[in-house]
Amino acid sequence: MNHSAKKKILILGGYTHMVSVVETARKMNIYTIVVDREINSPAKAIADKFYDVSTADIERLVEIARLENISGVFNGFDDINTWHAHALCKKLDLPFYATSEQLAICSNKDQFKNYCRNYNVPVIEEYELTGGLDDEAFATLVYPVIIKPVDSYASQGITVCYTEEELKEGYAKAVQYSTSGKVIVERFIDNSYGVMMFYTVIEGKISLSATTDRYVHKEYKEHPPLPTATVFPSQHQEHYVQTVDPNVRAMIRGMGTQNGVLFIQSLYEDGRFFLYEMGFRLSGTQYYTIVEKQTGINLLEMMLAFATGADISHYPIADYDYGYTKFPACNLSILLDEGTISEIIGLEALKNHPAVVSYVAVQDVGDHVEITGTYAQMLGRFNIVAQTEREFIALINEINQTLHVLSTEGKDMILTHYAPLDAVHFHAV
């Protein structure tokens, strides 16, 4: 086959999430080149070509891109590689969906909250600690509070604090995880529930592709809650659309957003939404597999097409505005306790279930899991789209009953099980 006739894409990162990126690009007849400093990263095994190069080595990537005559660059599911892709595209004069100003708003929690306030988008209250560890405001806080680096992701460097001593320890941890050395301290809403929204923008036209209920589990008091299930559609979808969505659209428009996908996380308390984080990239949940089952539109394919200079105006996202969800669906996270994985029982059969549209592994046999309060505590994530509510509940119960992750000590490491009978409130739209 003549590879020179194909468009070529440079994919930043070869970790498990990127396997579907390579698979999708190849189905689109795009020649795939994966770069990752990890020699045995999974996406390299199925790519057309790969380089054992760090995604942070921009100058080396420029050399590779010019040598290979690439048509585009694709960032993955994290903020770091999004910035790397932006820098690389700027040097190569290739299309990129975001500006540095837009990325700064989305990847910096402090900037994001300030931007929200400009558009009357509700955010959680925060405490000003201008003096660092010596700040007098430490003595006036009302606990519990949550302290975060302003520019981390995947729950890294976050601590829930109940005393001044815990806050000072959490402050030092947050600074360590912050690229800028800055932290944010907020009132901690101690519940197991939030709402997550997914927007798509094509040529400046904004669509709400999904609204979801995000259930979380908090095992240790100092660690932030981790997601157990993200359920489509949210039971609060109509309330969100009526009260918050217009201001969020105005904010996205005010950013100058022309193309791309965004996800927004919010807390929900007493009928109010509190937005706290926005990502201008695909989410690690790989929600696009669920959106495709609901609408026939593959958002990953759309972003790959944009990255390689193709026209994406024909994708009919506007037809499915306002959180279109025809079938009950969810992203199910399997959270793990500490230990070294010796055996995973039942996973292969569950992955082949017709309602499981994708499974993304985070940990595998032989991996050691530590209690960190980060997404590294996940075994992996199932994306599920069922035909009926009955089928959905049956599959969740089957997963809960048959999936077991055994440690080298013989203990089942699964921390908790999402219980759909207690939580699901489906309504077809």
Side-chain angles (χ1 to χ4, degrees):
M1 183 177 292
N2 181 12
H3 295 314
S4 63
K6 284 187 175 186
K7 287 186 175 181
K8 295 183 177 181
I9 192 162
L10 193 66
I11 296 171
L12 304 190
Y15 49 92
T16 309
H17 284 68
M18 304 304 284
V19 169
S20 71
V21 173
V22 174
E23 290 173 341
T24 302
R26 296 190 69 177
K27 286 177 185 175
M28 297 168 67
N29 200 34
I30 299 172
Y31 187 84
T32 55
I33 304 170
V34 172
V35 291
D36 194 314
R37 67 183 179 186
E38 298 297 329
I39 294 174
N40 295 317
S41 53
K44 287 180 178 177
I46 61 169
D48 293 295
K49 194 171 185 178
F50 65 84
Y51 288 86
D52 296 329
V53 175
S54 170
T55 59
D57 190 348
I58 302 299
E59 294 308 318
R60 178 70 179 115
L61 296 186
V62 167
E63 292 175 4
I64 292 170
R66 288 176 174 155
L67 174 68
E68 298 288 354
N69 192 29
I70 66 163
S71 302
V73 178
F74 193 85
N75 55 285
F77 304 86
D78 62 87
D79 290 336
I80 292 174
N81 279 326
T82 303
W83 279 105
H84 293 336
H86 173 267
L88 190 54
C89 287
K90 193 171 182 180
K91 284 181 175 290
L92 295 167
D93 196 26
L94 289 172
F96 195 71
Y97 62 87
T99 66
S100 57
E101 292 79 13
Q102 291 165 351
L103 291 182
I105 292 168
C106 296
S107 59
N108 184 294
K109 295 175 177 63
D110 210 12
Q111 285 193 44
F112 172 63
K113 290 184 72 172
N114 288 332
Y115 206 79
C116 283
R117 293 185 181 103
N118 292 338
Y119 290 87
N120 294 317
V121 172
V123 295
I124 197 70
E125 315 91 273
E126 64 193 75
Y127 298 95
E128 294 290 338
L129 295 178
T130 56
L133 288 173
D134 299 322
D135 203 303
E136 294 179 1
F138 268 79
T140 63
L141 300 186
V142 178
Y143 294 94
V145 297
I146 186 166
I147 186 164
K148 319 169 186 177
V150 298
D151 46 11
S152 70
Y153 62 96
S155 293
Q156 296 184 93
I158 298 176
T159 308
V160 179
C161 308
Y162 297 83
T163 65
E164 183 175 338
E165 182 180 350
E166 290 176 356
L167 181 60
K168 289 184 176 180
E169 291 177 1
Y171 185 95
K173 176 182 174 182
V175 168
Q176 181 182 353
Y177 277 89
S178 172
T179 305
S180 62
K182 295 180 180 178
V183 306
I184 189 169
V185 182
E186 300 171 330
R187 176 172 72 90
F188 178 60
I189 296 180
D190 193 6
N191 63 30
S192 57
Y193 180 77
V195 179
M196 191 170 181
M197 295 72 66
F198 299 91
Y199 286 88
T200 306
V201 186
I202 298 179
E203 295 186 343
K205 296 176 182 177
I206 303 166
S207 296
L208 177 62
S209 297
T211 60
T212 66
D213 290 330
R214 186 174 184 264
Y215 297 95
V216 297
H217 175 76
K218 189 168 179 294
E219 184 74 12
Y220 302 94
K221 73 181 186 72
E222 72 275 15
H223 290 149
L226 292 174
T228 56
T230 303
V231 181
F232 297 62
S234 169
Q235 58 188 298
H236 303 293
Q237 177 173 295
E238 194 59 36
H239 181 44
Y240 172 79
V241 167
Q242 291 176 358
T243 60
V244 182
D245 173 67
N247 290 6
V248 170
R249 288 178 190 248
M251 180 174 69
I252 294 171
R253 199 173 295 113
M255 288 168 57
T257 311
Q258 288 300 303
N259 296 284
V261 292
L262 304 97
F263 64 88
I264 301 175
Q265 293 183 2
S266 75
L267 299 168
Y268 186 80
E269 181 186 61
D270 299 330
R272 298 176 64 199
F273 300 91
F274 298 94
L275 280 64
Y276 65 91
E277 187 165 338
M278 177 162 67
F280 197 1
R281 54 176 172 78
L282 290 166
S283 161
T285 60
Q286 294 195 346
Y287 73 97
Y288 54 83
T289 60
I290 292 176
V291 171
E292 183 180 16
K293 278 288 185 179
Q294 305 280 1
T295 67
I297 300 170
N298 188 320
L299 296 176
L300 171 58
E301 177 191 285
M302 184 190 82
M303 293 307 297
L304 284 164
F306 181 87
T308 51
D311 178 21
I312 63 169
S313 61
H314 63 282
Y315 284 87
I317 284 297
D319 294 348
Y320 303 100
D321 199 357
Y322 295 105
Y324 178 91
T325 306
K326 187 177 181 181
F327 303 110
C330 87
N331 176 270
L332 183 72
S333 304
I334 308 300
L335 301 182
L336 300 179
D337 204 348
E338 187 172 18
T340 300
I341 302 173
S342 68
E343 187 179 4
I344 302 172
I345 300 170
L347 178 60
E348 291 306 314
L350 292 169
K351 283 162 60 175
N352 292 323
H353 191 286
V356 174
V357 296
S358 69
Y359 172 78
V360 182
V362 177
Q363 304 286 0
D364 208 340
V365 171
D367 291 337
H368 182 72
V369 179
E370 297 182 357
I371 302 302
T372 58
T374 70
Y375 287 16
Q377 276 188 245
M378 289 182 187
L379 173 71
R381 287 171 152 175
F382 292 93
N383 278 308
I384 296 165
V385 180
Q387 296 299 304
T388 64
E389 182 178 345
R390 183 188 294 266
E391 181 188 357
F392 177 90
I393 292 171
L395 175 55
I396 298 294
N397 288 333
E398 182 181 349
I399 292 171
N400 290 343
Q401 291 164 13
T402 62
L403 183 63
H404 299 281
V405 182
L406 302 183
S407 71
T408 50
E409 298 173 345
K411 181 186 75 169
D412 197 331
M413 294 171 62
I414 296 179
L415 265 181
T416 185
H417 292 103
Y418 164 65
L421 287 173
D422 297 335
V424 175
H425 302 274
F426 292 115
H427 52 283
V429 293

